[in-house]
Amino acid sequence: IRYGELPDPEPGPGQVLVRTEAVAVDNVDTFVRSGAWPTPVDFPLAIGRDLTGTVAAVGPEVTEFAPGDRVWANSAGYDGRPGATAELAVVAQERLYRRPDGADPVRFVAAVHPGATAYGVLIRRARLRPGETVAVTGANGAVGMCLIQVAATVGAHVVAVVRQRGSPEDAAPTARRLHDLGASRVVVVDTIDQAPVAAARGPGGRGIDVLVDTTGRLAASEAARHLNPRGRLVLIAGRDRRIDLDQWSFYTRELQLLGFIMSAMTVGELAAAAAWINHQHSVRPLEVSVGEVLPFSSAAHAHTLTERGELPRLPDHTVGRLVLRPDH
């Protein structure tokens, strides 16, 4: 990652030039940069995919935006598209959305990627229904927190699972925060593999209808045993685990194993998620924890922290997001 000057980009047909105010740092940004997740990119590439900003200019055939509009995007920087971490970024009109009035640029941009992921997982893939029980592992991370909030708006019962760090008293602030976001129960475990049985043993005997693992450390074969009939297990992280399922139990109970990555969402799916995020802002804005705001010139440092898993921990023990802003 180099920090320096590039020529100002010009918006082409159907493109919008955005003057960037804030950019979020995502794990997937490091996967794109390292090649762990292969995707076409053009060099020099501005890293990052999530931005908020103001329209500076529009190209031919742009009908939805005008200079001065406050906007956001969360699908830049991969599949051949320019990235977000630049003072001026070009975004295709169909991948750009209006930013709600009064939305704080930093807090809003921190929520748009995990918010769209949570919407895609629960609404588009798992087809969550009111009254069902959702268990979320890694519930104190940004995606986990958004999964709680999306599930709560559907009318689901949410079991938030977090791994124990420190004394039992240390978990109390986390539990309060997650309850406030909409969790019905907060379960503390020593290891993530304990999550399914711990979540399934809750009051009321509901079991688990949808289990979403945000950590990549869940043993899927064991987790499936604790799902209700027609339950859905959704994997959205992890690279090293293999799955060996009990085939008889799986198909006779009509279970589903679903994989999800936000990068595979279609333009239409992304737009539906964006509409939901914008609407939710007028009801109760999505909340995630912002850990640190750094200048663009510290982008390499931000990627290093992300790759090492050294993201800031807030006093409530939720995981803070990193946000970048222009240096000037």
Side-chain angles (χ1 to χ4, degrees):
I1 298 175
R2 300 182 185 178
Y3 174 74
E5 295 292 331
L6 290 171
D8 290 350
E10 297 286 340
Q15 293 182 328
V16 178
L17 184 67
V18 178
R19 187 169 298 282
T20 305
E21 295 176 47
V23 175
V25 179
D26 301 307
N27 277 310
V28 72
D29 298 339
T30 70
F31 301 157
V32 170
R33 199 196 81 249
S34 69
W37 184 62
T39 182
V41 294
D42 293 326
F43 292 98
L45 173 72
I47 57 175
R49 59 178 58 194
D50 309 331
L51 66 83
T52 57
T54 304
V55 174
V58 299
E61 303 172 17
V62 172
T63 58
E64 300 298 321
F65 300 97
D69 289 346
R70 294 184 177 89
V71 292
W72 65 276
N74 61 354
S75 59
Y78 66 100
D79 201 21
R81 292 184 291 276
T85 312
E87 294 171 349
L88 292 170
V90 170
V91 183
Q93 143 174 265
E94 65 270 19
R95 293 178 178 272
L96 194 65
Y97 320 109
R98 296 186 183 279
R99 194 171 80 211
D101 292 340
D104 176 77
V106 169
R107 295 195 172 278
F108 190 80
V109 79
V112 296
H113 191 94
T117 297
Y119 178 90
V121 167
L122 293 178
I123 307 302
R124 292 283 174 167
R125 297 292 188 270
R127 306 290 182 182
L128 181 65
R129 296 184 293 272
E132 289 192 310
T133 295
V134 180
V136 178
T137 64
N140 58 330
V143 174
M145 295 169 71
C146 286
L147 285 164
I148 292 171
Q149 293 167 85
V150 172
T153 65
V154 173
H157 303 277
V158 187
V159 182
V161 183
V162 295
R163 189 160 63 90
Q164 177 68 57
R165 290 177 181 270
S167 67
E169 290 76 18
D170 291 336
T174 311
R176 286 193 294 269
R177 178 80 184 278
L178 300 185
H179 279 304
D180 181 62
L181 294 179
S184 307
R185 287 196 298 128
V186 177
V187 177
V188 180
V189 295
D190 293 322
T191 66
I192 289 299
D193 282 339
Q194 297 172 341
V197 64
R201 286 177 177 172
R206 298 180 186 276
I208 303 171
D209 298 299
V210 178
L211 173 57
V212 187
D213 178 40
T214 74
T215 70
R217 297 191 295 271
L218 185 70
S221 54
E222 175 63 21
R225 296 178 54 242
H226 300 283
L227 294 176
N228 290 334
R230 297 192 175 182
R232 287 85 81 198
L233 173 60
V234 190
L235 307 180
I236 65 173
R239 296 177 58 192
D240 302 322
R241 292 231 184 203
R242 300 187 66 83
I243 300 172
D244 182 15
L245 292 172
D246 180 341
Q247 187 168 321
W248 170 261
S249 175
F250 203 84
Y251 80 78
T252 58
R253 296 169 59 223
E254 296 189 302
L255 305 180
Q256 296 181 53
L257 175 64
L258 303 171
F260 177 86
I261 183 171
M262 200 194 102
S263 301
M265 292 177 75
T266 66
V267 169
E269 289 173 334
L270 287 166
W276 186 90
I277 290 170
N278 281 354
H279 168 74
Q280 188 62 24
H281 192 84
S282 65
V283 180
R284 179 179 175 178
L286 281 177
E287 291 183 35
V288 299
S289 295
V290 176
E292 193 171 1
V293 180
L294 301 168
F296 279 0
S297 55
S298 295
H301 176 61
H303 269 231
T304 297
L305 293 176
T306 302
E307 289 172 317
R308 292 177 178 174
E310 296 176 356
L311 297 179
R313 295 270 174 171
L314 274 66
D316 61 10
H317 300 286
T318 55
V319 180
R321 297 270 276 151
L322 299 178
V323 175
L324 303 175
R325 302 200 77 173
D327 284 57
H328 61 273

